[in-house]
Amino acid sequence: MQGQSQQQAYDRGITIFSPDGRLYQVEYAREAVKRGTASIGVRTEGGVVLAVDKRIRSPLMERSSVEKIHKADDHIGIASAGHVADARQLIDFARRQAQINQLRYGEAIGVETLTKEVTDHIQQYTQIGGARPFGVALIIAGVSDGQPRLYETDPSGTPYEWKALAVGADRGDIREYLEDHYDEGLTLQEGVELALSALASVNDDELAPVGVGVATIGVDDAQFHELTDDEKESYLEQLDILAAQDEADDENDE
């Protein structure tokens, strides 16, 4: 009985380590990330790509209100998986840091610098009583000094740099697909194709333009660009993974 009560104490207290060195609340935050829809990042020679699963639960929902890709600065984009409200808080923080850097130093913030600012902020919520960790993981992608960079933030406040990664649901399966098909010599267009193909691999090999979000930041102009539905449909048709439009969608369009 005593052991069970001690276990509950470790379970509830964010500032208390368990005897084996674990923070259970941080692990629960990671579970929240796993329950979110998938987000993918791919780094290529020509820039970085973000792709997300924008699953819409009802045809009555305004799909523009489902935000999983965000512009943090002209040269940086962020994709999220997990609690959307937590993601919005962190993205607002990232935007403020980008603007502070621009005003203070007169130059755009580096992708690595911004990532570490965000993860330092996240880490504080793993050691403050009366608060909980952020139940979200972010993929921070951008171009700094002509170099594409791709980072992941973890609910523990740890940053990781990747060549290609996935967060959220089906992360393991998508990562296996990326490991099998990723090549460092990819062009930006091929990076988009890889990200969409990886997302389709866990969605019955078909995607609808309205159900995914894709953004790129190219090395040439270092500008965040979110693909339109027509652009996404073109990619999906080329890859032969375009989902047939169902009757509900047809009725909704009418």
Side-chain angles (χ1 to χ4, degrees):
M1 241 358 232
Q2 185 177 0
Q4 185 176 359
S5 63
Q6 287 179 341
Q7 181 72 25
Q8 290 176 347
Y10 301 133
D11 186 73
R12 294 173 182 170
I14 184 60
T15 61
I16 302 173
F17 283 98
S18 70
D20 56 350
R22 297 161 64 186
L23 288 173
Y24 287 108
Q25 291 294 323
V26 172
E27 295 187 14
Y28 296 155
R30 291 191 180 116
E31 288 300 316
V33 172
K34 292 178 183 177
R35 294 176 182 272
T37 53
S39 294
I40 297 172
V42 177
R43 190 181 77 191
T44 73
E45 286 187 345
V48 283
V49 178
L50 294 172
V52 299
D53 184 349
K54 294 177 61 175
R55 199 168 301 161
I56 298 173
R57 296 186 298 274
S58 167
L60 299 176
M61 181 181 290
E62 282 288 353
R63 60 188 182 89
S64 61
S65 67
V66 182
E67 294 182 301
K68 280 182 60 81
I69 292 183
H70 307 259
K71 179 181 178 180
D73 204 347
D74 289 338
H75 64 300
I76 298 176
I78 300 177
S80 66
H83 286 299
V84 175
D86 287 8
R88 288 180 57 218
Q89 289 294 313
L90 291 177
I91 288 158
D92 284 346
F93 175 82
R95 287 169 172 164
R96 288 196 299 272
Q97 294 306 120
Q99 292 303 307
I100 289 170
N101 192 90
Q102 183 68 51
L103 290 170
R104 182 175 293 167
Y105 303 112
E107 62 183 20
I109 194 168
V111 182
E112 181 179 8
T113 301
L114 180 61
T115 301
K116 289 184 176 178
E117 292 280 0
V118 172
T119 51
D120 285 349
H121 182 65
I122 292 171
Q123 194 275 335
Q124 292 179 22
Y125 284 79
T126 69
Q127 59 182 29
I128 298 174
R132 64 163 177 79
F134 289 95
V136 65
L138 304 179
I139 300 176
I140 303 179
V143 174
S144 293
D145 298 323
Q147 297 296 318
R149 308 295 293 274
L150 184 67
Y151 289 91
E152 173 194 6
T153 74
D154 180 79
S156 68
T158 306
Y160 303 96
E161 186 168 11
W162 293 83
K163 298 175 182 176
L165 80 150
V167 294
D170 302 310
R171 171 177 179 162
D173 293 336
I174 295 174
R175 183 186 292 181
E176 285 183 13
Y177 185 94
L178 292 172
E179 288 174 352
D180 291 340
H181 296 85
Y182 178 80
D183 184 273
E184 293 190 22
L186 291 173
T187 64
L188 189 60
Q189 180 178 341
E190 289 170 341
V192 174
E193 294 172 352
L194 174 60
L196 289 173
S197 297
L199 202 55
S201 70
V202 294
N203 285 280
D204 300 321
D205 289 323
E206 60 179 23
L207 296 171
V210 297
V212 295
V214 181
T216 63
I217 303 102
V219 169
D220 293 339
D221 58 2
Q223 292 293 308
F224 177 90
H225 170 67
E226 192 162 3
L227 271 63
T228 64
D229 285 348
D230 288 341
E231 289 174 317
K232 288 180 285 185
E233 184 173 353
S234 176
Y235 275 107
L236 297 176
E237 283 181 342
Q238 291 175 18
L239 297 167
D240 196 24
I241 54 174
L242 179 63
Q245 191 175 33
D246 57 33
E247 294 179 2
D249 285 339
D250 289 336
E251 292 174 2
N252 192 40
D253 288 340
E254 293 173 0

